[in-house]
Amino acid sequence: ITPAAAEQLRALGKKHSENAPVPHLRVTVEPGGCSGFQYEFAVVHDDEELQSDDIKFNQHGVMLVTDEVSLDFLKGATVDYEREFIREGFAIVNNPNSETACGCGSSFALKQFSMNPALD
């Protein structure tokens, strides 16, 4: 997770409540999007929303949360916060498991897809 993403997550926590703890960022990979798989981001304000089997990473004073299946798609990738002319939001950048991505960056195709087919 980049410093920019961590800072944005802290800012979102302050918008939620000035005295609230820093929320967590949940990142998952789901089938869909125009390239085959899509990234989904959710801000988790309450530890009660965490699952016992969640995988947690702490960096720059914030926690990123994902599940075991999504982790396989995300290994080696970076979570950033991007500000562009038409969009701003969390984004996955430099994903070594991605062969191609759609123009908006919210979906991707796996490298060697024939060896890693999507599961129904």
Side-chain angles (χ1 to χ4, degrees):
I1 189 164
T2 65
E7 183 56 38
Q8 183 61 30
L9 197 54
R10 281 191 285 277
L12 289 171
K14 287 182 182 177
K15 282 184 182 179
H16 184 70
S17 170
E18 189 62 38
N19 298 324
V22 176
H24 314 309
L25 182 65
R26 179 180 297 281
V27 182
T28 55
V29 175
E30 299 290 335
C34 51
S35 296
F37 293 92
Q38 61 190 9
Y39 303 115
E40 294 188 3
F41 300 94
V43 177
V44 179
H45 291 279
D46 189 348
D47 283 350
E48 291 180 13
E49 295 179 52
L50 300 177
Q51 305 297 315
S52 61
D53 59 345
D54 279 340
I55 300 166
K56 302 167 190 96
F57 300 93
N58 288 296
Q59 191 167 13
H60 303 296
V62 299
M63 185 184 301
L64 182 120
V65 180
T66 192
D67 58 75
E68 189 173 345
V69 173
S70 296
L71 181 61
D72 287 338
F73 295 104
L74 296 168
K75 281 183 183 172
T78 300
V79 178
D80 196 8
Y81 191 82
E82 298 179 336
R83 288 182 175 90
E84 299 174 357
F85 291 113
I86 59 171
R87 164 182 136 46
E88 77 175 74
F90 292 102
I92 300 295
V93 296
N94 302 324
N95 186 346
N97 304 299
S98 172
E99 183 171 67
T100 60
C102 66
C104 69
S106 65
S107 68
F108 67 99
L110 281 178
K111 285 185 178 176
Q112 302 174 347
F113 182 76
S114 62
M115 297 177 70
N116 300 296
L119 302 174
D120 290 332

